[in-house]
Amino acid sequence: LEAELRRHAAAPGPRHAARTPIPRSRRRAVAAATTLSAVPSTGRSAGERIVSSTVTGLRRSVRSLGRTPVVTLAALICLALGMGATTAIFSAVNTALLRPLPFTDPASLVTVYRTTPHFNTGPFSAANFLDLRANTKSLEQLAAVASNAGLIESEGGSARVPLYQVSGNLFPMLGVSALRGRLLTRADEGADRPDVVVLSEELWRDRYGAEAATVGTALTINGKPHEVIGIMPRGFRVPHGGESVAASLWVPLRFTPEQAAQRRSNYLRLLGRVQPSQTVEGADRELRAVMDQIVASFPDLRGESIRTVPLAGESVRAVKRPLLLLLGAVGFVLLIAAANVASLLLARGAERGREVAIRSALGASRGAILGQVLRESLVLAGAGSALGLLLGWASVRAIGTVAARILPQLAGLSIDLRVLLFAGLVTGLVAVLCGILPAWRASKTDPQEALRSGGARIGAGAAHHRFLRGLIVTEVALALVLLLGAGLVLRGFMRLISRDPGFDPKPLLTLVTNVSSRRYENADSYRQFLTPALEAIKRVPGVAEAGSITLLPYHNWGNNSNVRYEGRAEVDQTRMPLVEYRRVTPSFFPTLGMTLLKGRLLTDADRISGAPQVVVVNRALMVRDFSGQDPIGKRFYTSDTTFATIVGMVADIRNAGPFNDPQPEMYWPYEPGYAGFPIVVRVTGADPAAVVKQVTDAIHAVDPTAAVSLARPMEAIIAQSVGQPRFYMTLLGAFAGVALLLSLAGLYGLTSYAVATRTREIGIRTALGATPAQSVALVIRDGAFLVGGGLLVGGLLGLAITRLLGGLLFGVSPLDLPAWAIVSTALGLVGMLATFVPARRASRIDPLIAIRSD
């Protein structure tokens, strides 16, 4: 039949003249005979015939793809990269944004914030919390959480772990059940109730070997015995704002009479559950009204109010935009991969003209040919997606642990049923995107033209070339957008980490020491530990200085207070200037290497009981509160009749981390009364971590029961403070790199294919006298036109999309000219490099072989 068809196609006559068609009856007869010989005539149901036909078609698709292993492998790699990246990021989106919180009816849970003229996410005092809980009717429950540190004491030594005090109604409100034993209840809040504790599953497993007998035993925490009454579920966390509250120890929140009356000591985070008949907006209005009544009774609180927001939305607010941007980025990667696969299938289809012509001549309808090519695309997309899922699973495993430490919202990152369904949907979409045009082109193949030309490069006409050129422009444009995003984020990150912390972090070691309150019976006796401990550390070889501060630098949380300066007009207390404050030992300033600008530093004499109250301020406070005037000698109220005096001014340091400018700060003399001591050590060597053991031994020489934890170089703390932007930058940069590689491969492949389809043209040009340089210039000129078009389209697209990166740029404009220039130039050079090899190959074409190729 093929011979007959070829003779018919080769009949003399003008190239485009009408020919007598092959008799349809002949084609149908052959098709029927072929069908009858292939399918047994046994009686089978319609379903069985459909299944058999589908399986046969899939087998034929696999065999067909196997005949072009290079094309198939290239397409699989492209799809695996695109699908792997997409699956990994969708897993993160699913975990953080789509997966419901693991609590009963999470939609009715709310976060309650205190607002002032200075901020809108503040904590509450004990007195205000108790009044709000007693007077709200729109909330079923209002619970409080307070963070602290717990010192676990045992014969084997002490250990410092995170501890949270929670109101007894928190766990019933959330609908959480104990893994073993029971959890805290309202009855445990009573001051006359025994001290009890609930352990996290992680602490129970690591410290106690997950033994069931742990429940009911006694545990000494912060000098007091506590009965272990239960074990928390594994991975239990309470979202609050952009944080995730997790602890090793959970104890009842109890207030002394003094705490229950205190209105200005704010340290409680509030969570609530809205009544079924109420809305979040209604609860917000009612809580504002209750707070207004409290403020009316206590004028010192004027300016304070309340903001109530859904817990689920608030818990992911900080990560929602970055994760959606990353999902959009991997969508671009997947589109580039799909474009590559589509171009490979088009090129493959153009070389299959003879096969398609024979199938058509045998009676195959356009729908049958269309279906076969689409099945091949589906098989290819399915195999690529399976590889992509494996790659995505490996990526999730690789980034899961790191991401959970940086972004608590990603705790429990995994591939679940929703991710698998998403992968299946994307697989089908990619199969259609990759296969619809090749299938349509194959179905339009003219069998006579295909057989007469030997089947070579059928469909490589003007429309075919326009589409391939459009693919090149699209790939370059998408790659440019991704590279622009990564370049801008990188510029912002580099600016962030290059911000001067105000001190040299390289020679600094930080650690936290906790001591037992049983060894130090009163507050003043803490001097018995801290002063000799610092002196012992200074005697360690390689240590130059050591000092203590109540909160280490680069922690974006601390203590603050409103101040009223002497001689200033009295205003509402909450509208007075807000100042961050730390308490430090005199040796802290030289340890950190802080520069004294005016006045003097603190001394040991300032810590003596009865000494005048003095503070050292930073330059930021002088600029804001004294308009650049000398602040030395200025006083501010500490009560209605007593004052503290500013005796010195030091240079700014970034106590609040790199994201914010230095805040106005005051440094007070270190007062006894703290059981936990953050310590900073300046070393003379190159590696601060090298003296950790000696410093720990020096502390234990003063108090063998002291717990030393969190020993880290200051550089590690600074690096941790920029963990989130580094995480986003790394992922976006990786996706941009994959996009660049895919675009480079796609551009090279499409240019090579375009050169191959122009073999005869180039041969004729060479035969007519064109030099190799002119042939190279011809191909490079076309490539430059396409790359330039892609850069233009990508630039216009980038103008719109890069504006969405706002929160990730850290002071860099979306129109940052250096980033745009570098990325555009680099991508243009890479694109031209991808056209050079095909161009060079074109210059070596033998004109005689080229002319005979068609």
Side-chain angles (χ1 to χ4, degrees), residues 22 38 73 102 138 151 186 207 242 268 281 308 341 386 442 504 556 597 639 645 722 775 810 815:
I22 300 173
L73 181 61
S138 59
L151 183 68
R186 285 288 293 270
R207 187 177 178 91
L268 298 176
E281 292 76 14
T308 307
V341 175
D504 182 9
N556 192 19
L597 301 178
S639 71
T645 304
V722 294
S775 298
F810 308 111
L815 299 179

Side-chain angles (χ1 to χ4, degrees), residues 465-490:
H465 281 292
R466 282 196 298 271
F467 179 77
L468 292 180
R469 293 162 73 87
L471 283 180
I472 294 176
V473 172
T474 300
E475 289 195 20
V476 173
L478 294 178
L480 177 64
V481 173
L482 270 181
L483 289 171
L484 278 174
L488 290 171
V489 171
L490 175 61

Side-chain angles (χ1 to χ4, degrees), residues 463-654:
H464 182 75
H465 281 292
R466 282 196 298 271
F467 179 77
L468 292 180
R469 293 162 73 87
L471 283 180
I472 294 176
V473 172
T474 300
E475 289 195 20
V476 173
L478 294 178
L480 177 64
V481 173
L482 270 181
L483 289 171
L484 278 174
L488 290 171
V489 171
L490 175 61
R491 287 265 295 171
F493 179 75
M494 295 304 295
R495 176 170 295 186
L496 186 67
I497 64 176
S498 65
R499 287 182 172 178
D500 183 11
F503 57 89
D504 182 9
K506 293 180 180 178
L508 299 180
L509 173 71
T510 68
L511 52 94
V512 177
T513 301
N514 290 76
V515 296
S516 170
S517 58
R518 290 191 298 177
R519 289 178 59 87
Y520 305 93
E521 297 177 356
N522 56 68
D524 189 63
S525 61
Y526 282 122
R527 295 179 186 273
Q528 301 172 15
F529 169 77
L530 183 58
T531 300
L534 292 177
E535 292 300 324
I537 292 172
K538 294 176 187 178
R539 292 193 294 269
V540 171
V543 171
E545 190 59 87
S548 183
I549 183 173
T550 50
L551 191 69
L552 291 170
Y554 268 68
H555 285 72
N556 192 19
W557 184 89
N559 296 316
N560 54 58
S561 177
N562 301 99
V563 297
R564 177 191 169 199
Y565 294 103
E566 184 181 21
R568 302 279 179 93
E570 185 174 359
V571 296
D572 291 344
Q573 187 163 349
T574 55
R575 299 183 186 277
M576 295 177 186
L578 189 69
V579 177
E580 300 289 324
Y581 64 86
R582 308 283 193 273
R583 294 191 177 274
V584 299
T585 61
S587 58
F588 174 78
F589 298 109
T591 299
L592 214 65
M594 298 176 68
T595 304
L596 178 66
L597 301 178
K598 288 180 180 294
R600 69 173 178 87
L601 298 175
L602 301 176
T603 66
D604 287 329
D606 297 322
R607 302 170 62 189
I608 298 175
S609 177
Q613 296 188 79
V614 296
V615 299
V616 171
V617 301
N618 67 345
R619 187 177 183 278
L621 183 140
M622 179 268 291
V623 171
R624 188 195 68 179
D625 295 347
F626 296 99
S627 302
Q629 299 176 4
D630 189 353
I632 305 303
K634 298 294 192 295
R635 302 197 305 174
F636 57 91
Y637 288 91
T638 57
S639 71
D640 292 339
T641 58
T642 59
F643 298 89
T645 304
I646 299 174
V647 297
M649 182 177 72
V650 294
D652 295 331
I653 64 173
R654 295 186 182 275

